[in-house]
Every structure is written in C-alpha cells, then in structure tokens.
Amino acid sequence: MERPSLIDRAIEGVIAHRKAVVAAFGALAVVCAALIPFVGVNYNMVDYLPDEAQSTTAVDIMGEEFSQAVPNANVLVRDMSVAQALAFKDRVAAIDGVEGVMWLDDVADVTVPLQMIDEATVETYYRDGAALFQVTVAEGAEGQAVGALRALVDEAGPNNAVSGDASDTAQTTASTGEEAGKAALILVPIILLLLILSTRSWIEPVLFIGAIGVSILINMGTNIVFGQVSFITFSVSPILQLAVSLDYAIFLLHAFADERAVQPTPERAMARAMRLSLSTIAASAVTTLFGFAALSFMQFQIGADLGVNLVKGIVFSFVTVMVFLPALTLLLYKLIDRTAHRALLPSFRNVGAVLAKVRVPALVLVLALVVPAFLGQSHTAFSYQNSQPDPGLRAGADTLMIQEEFGQQNAMVVLVPRGDVAAEAALSADLEKIDHVTSVISYANTVGAAIPQGFLDQAVLDQFYSPNWARIIAYTDTDVESDEAFATVEAVQQAAGKRYETFYTAGQSANLYDMKNIVAVDNVVVSVVAVIAILIVLVVTFRSAALPLILLLTIESGIWINLSIPYFTGDAVNFIGYLVINTVQLGATIDYAILLTTHYLRHRKELPPRQAVFRALGGTFPSLMVSAGILATAGFALAFSSTLSAVASLGLLLARGAILSFALVTCFLPALLVLLDGAIRRTTWRADFAPARTSDLPANEGGAS
C-alpha cells in the first residue's frame, strides 16, 4: 500500500481534528484583534523617505542637534496688540505637546516701533492687528495639541485658525479609522450580494467572509512585531487582502460542492477538494504574492511597509483557507445543505459565442491603444501631498483662512556647517533675491553678524545654531507642491551649493521634491521586478515560452491604459497610487488570465482553438466576473470613503484596473490565444494540442460545456 504523502497526512489531520482547528484559529483571531489597537499608525510620509535623501538627513540633524524643530503649525489670532500677542504666545507654549513657538519677538526687537523694523519681517508674523504664530508640535501629539490650540484660538474670538502639517495630521488621524469603517460598510454588503448570486447556499458567503476575516485580523494583529504601520497600509491593506484572497475560499468550496456529488461522505469530498484545489490556490497566491513583494524594492519605504503587510496577508489567507475553512465547513455542512437555494445567475455556457463577435474588434482596438497608452502613462502628472484643503473640514477651512490673510507661508530650512557667519550672511542675501522667497531668517541677517554670540541669550542662539550646524529659514509664497515650489527648492539648493560644499534642505516642499525625484526611479524598478518575478512563475506554471508573454501583454495593456487615462484627461495622480497599482493590478488580476488559460489548455487537447476558447469562456466567465466585481467594488469603496488623496487615488485606479483587466481577459486574451495558437503549440512543452481547424465551431455547439 502506498504511503500517504506529507500533504495527505496534513489534510487528514485537519479533517480529523476540525473542532480543535476551528477553536485554535478563533482564539488566534481574538488575540490578534485585541492587539490591533496597540499597533501604531504613522502619518508622516517623510519618515519613509530613504536614509540618503537629503531632506531625511536634515530632519535627523535637527532632531539630534536642535532643541526646537521646524514649526509644523500656524496659529492665527485677530485683533491683538503686540503686548496681547506676547501674552498669547506664552499660553500657546504652555499647551501639552507644543515644543516651541516663534513670533515676531524672536526675530526682531518689538520694544521699538514696528515702523523701524523691516516690513517683510513684520508682515511675516503681524499685519493689520492679526498675529501669526509658528508653532512646533511634537510628533505623535498632533491630535491632542491641535485640539487644545483650536480651543484656545476659539476662546480668543471668532475667525481665528490653526493650520499646517500638525493640523493635517490631526485630521488624518481622526478620520482614518472612521474611513476604513466606511469602506468596509460599502464593500462587505456588495461582496455578500455578489457571493449570494454566485453560490448555491445562503450560508456559504458568510463562510467566505468569515474565513478571510479571520486572516485579516491575524494579519493586522501581527503587525505588533513592527511597532507601527503607515496610514496607507492601515487604510488599504485589509480591503485589498479581502478582495484579492476571497477567490481562494471560492475555489475551495466550489471544489467541495463538486466532489460531494461523487464522494460517499463529506469528509472524503473535502479531502479530495483540498487536494484538487491546492495547486490552483497556491499558484494564484504565489503570483499575487510576488506582485506585492515587488513593492519592497521601492526606495521610498512606504512600498516595503505596504508590500510586506500584503505579502503577510496573502500567506495568512492561504493558510486560513486551506486549514481553517475546510474544518469550519465540515462542522457546518448540514447548515449549508439546509440553506441551499437555486442558481440565481443565468448560465454563461454560451458566452463564448457572444464574445466571439467582439474578439477581432477588441484585438484591433487594444493593439491600436497599447503604444499610445504606454507612452501616455509614462508622462502622467503626479501629486505628492496626502490631501488638499477641504473647506468642508475645519483643517481645510483654517488653512484657506490663513492663506487669505497672510498669503502662503511655506517654510524651507537650509542647514549649513557652523562657523562662518560671513558666509551665512552672504547666503541669506542670496536667498532673499530668489523669486518667491518673501523673507529669510538667520542669525546673520536677524541678530546681526557684528554682534558677538556671547552677548546673546542662549534661547536666541538655539533658534539658529546647534553645536555643528547653522539653520537658515527661507519663507516662500508658493504652494507646498507646484512647479514654482519645486523650482524654488532647486534655486535654494543652487544658492547654498555656491557657498557651501555640504548643506541640507528640509520643509514640506523640499520633502516633496525628494519624493518626486525618487518616484521616477522607483516606478521603473518596481515594474521590472514584478514583471520578471511573475514571468518566472508563469513559465514554471505553463512550461511555455509564448504563453507567459501573452498573459503579461494582456494584463500590462490594461495597466498602461488605466494609468494613461489621467494623462489624456489632464488630471494628476497621487504618486503612491501610481506606484502601487503597477504591482497590485498585475499581481491581483494576472489570476484572471491564468484561470482562463488553464481551462483553454485543457480543452485545447481535444478541440481546435476557437472551440477551446468558447468552452474556456463558458466555464470561467462567472468566476472572472465575480472576482473582478469584488476587486472593483473594493477600489470604489476606498475611492468614495477616503478624504486622503493617496488612498482615494489608489482606490479609483484599482477599480478601473479590475474592470479593464476583466475586459481584456475575456475579449483580448481569447483573440491572442486563437491568433497565436501555432506559436503556443510550438513553444509549450508537451502541449498535446488537438489538430487545428480553420472553420468556426458550429452554431449548435457554441460554448457548450
């Protein structure tokens, strides 16, 4: 008697100990769910810039050597005298989480008449009785500190405001969890509806959601080992994991339903279903896993943060579906039988004959679009901020109010080696001449190079000097992100480069400028890594040279068309969405092409190309439609529920990408399989194809299964 394999013994163990398996996974899910609140969420995108980025170095230097960081909040209070403003400044400084406050008295002698002080300097902080304080809020304390600042300015009178990075972070922190819940409320009911339509039992969809839900809780809870995840990962990862890995559960339970018709017991049917579906689910998981893993090759470390989390999620989903779901199903199969219902979807056996009518037009259309789409997507305009001011929210309204009163207050820090006050003075003068620079604050031009540092209060010196570095702050009137802002960053860096060999710049625009330069490299690297990895998997799976290229061309065409649409419509795409969708759409929807092609090859052993395609479409169309519908719904849920442009942009790209991939797999790929049948036969090991015939399938056989 043949000895059972390791896989067979594992399957038998799961079936024999199903109650213990369900209890163990349930307990693990409960423990992980309890850990989720202790996983930190990082809202600072600058933390994910590579270590060698100069803005990263500048931030590190200021954190290590300067007692006061760059201000990250603006506080506007109207109808104040200078004396009242000084008193109010002390109240702001006393708030928990506020590390420092800068105002006019830090850069000028306010005991003299304001008319005797440089006008540009005064109007940076005080104009028409309105005082603008620049506040430094500690990282991690934004929510509490900004709330206290708003309470303080509201107490001072109407039409006062708080804005800046800290305010945006507080808003994002407050809304992220709520928006994730909204996305789930949109997604789960629609997924349940799609699953109910595509299954034969009212309880089966609940099992699907339950199994993947357990894997999501385990994935989110195990993030405790990292300490924290980015807000992008927190918002997107659970939704993507649910949408991408539901197929695994569907494959298994469909196989179980088929085997119950021929096996004597539910246990035998489940054992057989697990063996038959293991390779299909594993292949699907591996291709998706490699696509997500490619994100880890980004220099911008948000890719590794999201990629590692998604890879972990796919592994947990695979294990949960192959271990927990079979055990749970065997415990509840009687309930599945009692809640059986008739088929709610029509038969798609003849869909191949219908789609055959668009096969050639689809081939021509896609081939005509693919080159312009490839060129267009490479010239898509990016946006780099997490969000734009929303007048409907307090943070957005306050931002617009301060911009209206004081104009743009965009601070850029230049760090230069300490020791040459004359060079600092020269650089400060150079910076003041740059277009869009409204004022420059440094020791040399504010205190005066002629005054010995020993005569000054230490608090004043700490504004400008650390043991090794001098800090110069240039204020510009540009948006944080724009062509003018990036040109100003370049001009500031060029001016600093003329005076110093070593210097660093930081600030919102400088950070976004670094992101902009990194994105161009990351996009190419991530795309190439993902394509090569999945190409290898396809070669191993199909043992063919032509088929992997055909499948990749199909999905990549959908990606290029998807990403080129913003270029042709003149819209900007958030750079995170652009980078991530390259791998997510490839990794998530290549499964559609694999499923159709696997069925095609099976039928091609007995039928000519056109008939084999008809049969393959008839057998896979419902599964493809449900999978694409779930993924598209997940994307739309993210797009419509999130106020964060990075999340909303990714959601829209994901939804559109799922629809495009579905259309290309069901219309364009069949045309390629028929057209290139000869090349596929010659380059596929042991193809064993039936003889090709030139005539079409007779009408009475169209799409028959």
Side-chain angles (χ1 to χ4, degrees):
M1 183 175 179
E2 185 177 351
R3 186 177 178 180
S5 67
L6 181 62
I7 291 176
D8 289 335
R9 291 199 298 271
I11 290 173
E12 291 169 2
V14 169
I15 293 173
H17 301 94
R18 49 187 176 268
K19 289 185 179 179
V21 168
V22 170
F25 272 84
L28 180 59
V30 170
V31 170
C32 288
L35 292 175
I36 293 173
F38 299 99
V39 179
V41 180
N42 190 339
Y43 298 90
N44 188 0
M45 298 295 287
V46 178
D47 289 346
Y48 296 96
L49 283 169
D51 293 338
E52 60 271 18
Q54 71 148 352
S55 57
T56 302
T57 305
V59 171
D60 290 342
I61 290 173
M62 286 189 288
E64 293 169 2
E65 297 204 18
F66 285 87
S67 59
Q68 183 173 321
V70 178
N72 56 3
N74 296 313
V75 175
L76 168 67
V77 185
R78 303 177 190 274
D79 301 324
M80 277 199 163
S81 66
V82 171
Q84 289 172 324
L86 292 173
F88 190 84
K89 177 185 175 183
D90 292 336
R91 296 182 67 187
V92 171
I95 291 175
D96 289 341
V98 171
E99 294 183 333
V101 186
M102 285 185 64
W103 193 60
L104 182 60
D105 62 310
D106 291 303
V107 297
D109 183 1
V110 295
T111 62
V112 303
L114 298 185
Q115 293 84 351
M116 298 178 63
I117 305 173
D118 177 68
E119 183 180 0
T121 300
V122 173
E123 292 196 349
T124 299
Y125 299 96
Y126 190 69
R127 62 174 69 176
D128 299 327
L132 183 66
F133 302 90
Q134 295 173 350
V135 181
T136 303
V137 176
E139 185 173 352
E142 293 90 352
Q144 177 183 352
V146 170
L149 287 170
R150 289 207 173 110
L152 187 61
V153 301
D154 290 344
E155 178 188 330
N159 299 320
N160 297 325
V162 180
S163 72
D165 268 0
S167 173
D168 294 340
T169 299
Q171 178 64 48
T172 302
T173 304
S175 61
T176 297
E178 179 183 347
E179 290 175 355
K182 288 181 181 178
L185 287 176
I186 296 172
L187 179 61
V188 171
I190 296 177
I191 286 180
L192 282 173
L193 176 61
L194 290 171
L195 293 176
I196 288 171
L197 291 174
S198 61
T199 59
R200 294 295 188 94
S201 168
W202 299 107
I203 198 65
E204 276 189 356
V206 178
L207 294 183
F208 295 155
I209 298 289
I212 303 304
V214 165
S215 69
I216 290 173
L217 290 176
I218 295 172
N219 189 35
M220 294 182 72
T222 53
N223 286 331
I224 195 74
V225 301
F226 304 127
Q228 65 178 15
V229 295
S230 70
F231 75 95
I232 297 290
T233 297
F234 183 82
S235 301
V236 169
S237 178
I239 303 297
L240 282 181
Q241 185 182 345
L242 174 63
V244 169
S245 56
L246 260 177
D247 285 348
Y248 311 161
I250 294 172
F251 291 159
L252 178 72
L253 288 195
H254 280 185
F256 175 62
D258 292 341
E259 290 301 318
R260 286 197 66 189
V262 295
Q263 298 296 335
T265 65
E267 290 78 10
R268 291 278 296 275
M270 181 57 76
R272 179 70 176 163
M274 292 172 71
R275 291 187 189 96
L276 290 176
S277 59
L278 177 61
S279 59
T280 302
I281 295 173
S284 177
V286 167
T287 53
T288 305
L289 186 148
F290 276 123
F292 291 158
L295 291 170
S296 299
F297 287 83
M298 288 171 57
Q299 295 180 76
F300 192 54
Q301 295 166 14
I302 197 80
D305 185 84
L306 179 59
V308 168
N309 197 272
L310 289 173
V311 166
K312 186 159 60 75
I314 293 300
V315 172
F316 285 136
S317 291
F318 176 78
V319 173
T320 302
V321 166
M322 295 307 302
V323 179
F324 171 72
L325 183 58
L328 182 64
T329 302
L330 287 175
L331 291 178
L332 299 177
Y333 74 89
K334 292 182 180 179
L335 182 59
I336 294 175
D337 293 342
R338 287 197 298 269
T339 59
H341 60 75
R342 64 179 180 83
L344 300 177
L345 283 179
S347 171
F348 288 96
R349 287 189 308 164
N350 296 322
V351 72
V354 176
L355 293 176
K357 299 176 181 178
V358 301
R359 189 175 67 230
V360 174
L363 179 65
V364 173
L365 178 63
V366 174
L367 291 178
L369 290 176
V370 69
V371 173
F374 175 77
L375 296 175
Q377 60 89 31
S378 64
H379 291 87
T380 298
F382 296 132
S383 63
Y384 300 90
Q385 289 180 274
N386 293 336
S387 60
Q388 298 293 333
D390 181 356
L393 300 174
R394 173 71 187 265
D398 281 7
T399 297
L400 296 174
M401 187 186 302
I402 291 177
Q403 288 178 2
E404 182 179 350
E405 183 70 35
F406 278 86
Q408 292 286 351
Q409 290 283 340
N410 187 10
M412 191 184 318
V413 174
V414 183
L415 294 179
V416 296
R418 179 175 179 174
D420 190 343
V421 179
E424 293 171 34
L427 176 56
S428 298
D430 292 343
L431 295 177
E432 289 175 338
K433 298 175 184 176
I434 295 174
D435 289 343
H436 299 293
V437 173
T438 57
S439 64
V440 176
I441 298 174
S442 67
Y443 173 84
N445 77 339
T446 302
V447 179
I451 301 176
Q453 297 176 17
F455 285 89
L456 296 173
D457 184 87
Q458 188 61 41
V460 176
L461 281 178
D462 288 345
Q463 297 279 353
F464 303 109
Y465 290 121
S466 74
N468 301 298
W469 298 90
R471 179 162 65 181
I472 302 171
I473 303 178
Y475 290 93
T476 72
D477 60 6
T478 67
D479 290 329
V480 170
E481 176 186 347
S482 64
D483 291 341
E484 292 81 6
F486 293 149
T488 303
V489 172
E490 292 176 352
V492 168
Q493 291 178 350
Q494 289 170 5
K498 292 178 182 178
R499 302 288 179 180
Y500 293 90
E501 291 185 5
T502 303
F503 67 90
Y504 300 101
T505 57
Q508 283 184 283
S509 292
N511 297 338
L512 296 178
Y513 181 76
D514 278 348
M515 291 180 192
K516 174 177 179 289
N517 292 332
I518 290 166
V519 164
V521 177
D522 275 350
N523 181 45
V524 175
V525 171
V526 170
S527 299
V528 169
V529 169
V531 167
I532 291 175
I534 291 179
L535 182 63
I536 293 172
V537 173
L538 294 176
V539 169
V540 172
T541 301
F542 292 110
R543 297 175 297 179
S544 172
L547 275 174
L549 298 176
I550 292 171
L551 268 60
L552 279 174
L553 174 62
T554 301
I555 302 302
E556 286 291 344
S557 296
I559 293 172
W560 296 335
I561 293 171
N562 188 16
L563 292 176
S564 68
I565 289 174
Y567 169 75
F568 290 111
T569 58
D571 297 324
V573 175
N574 185 276
F575 77 105
I576 294 176
Y578 182 91
L579 287 177
V580 171
I581 200 63
N582 262 306
T583 56
V584 170
Q585 187 177 343
L586 177 59
T589 65
I590 191 70
D591 294 344
Y592 306 169
I594 292 174
L595 181 63
L596 179 69
T597 303
T598 300
H599 280 70
Y600 169 77
L601 293 176
R602 185 186 309 154
H603 293 304
R604 185 66 185 85
K605 295 180 184 298
E606 301 172 355
L607 299 170
R610 290 183 177 82
Q611 292 174 307
V613 163
F614 290 169
R615 295 278 181 92
L617 283 169
T620 61
F621 190 86
S623 296
L624 294 174
M625 182 176 64
V626 171
S627 295
I630 290 172
L631 191 59
T633 301
F636 284 127
L638 290 172
F640 294 143
S641 66
S642 182
T643 59
L644 301 172
S645 63
V647 175
S649 178
L650 174 58
L652 182 59
L653 289 170
L654 180 65
R656 195 165 60 205
I659 295 170
L660 284 168
S661 290
F662 172 72
L664 266 66
V665 166
T666 55
C667 298
F668 177 64
L669 179 57
L672 289 179
L673 292 175
V674 173
L675 179 66
L676 301 176
D677 179 74
I680 296 170
R681 183 178 63 251
R682 288 190 294 271
T683 60
T684 301
W685 187 53
R686 294 183 178 178
D688 297 329
F689 282 1
R693 295 185 305 186
T694 57
S695 60
D696 288 327
L697 187 67
N700 62 343
E701 297 181 25
S705 57

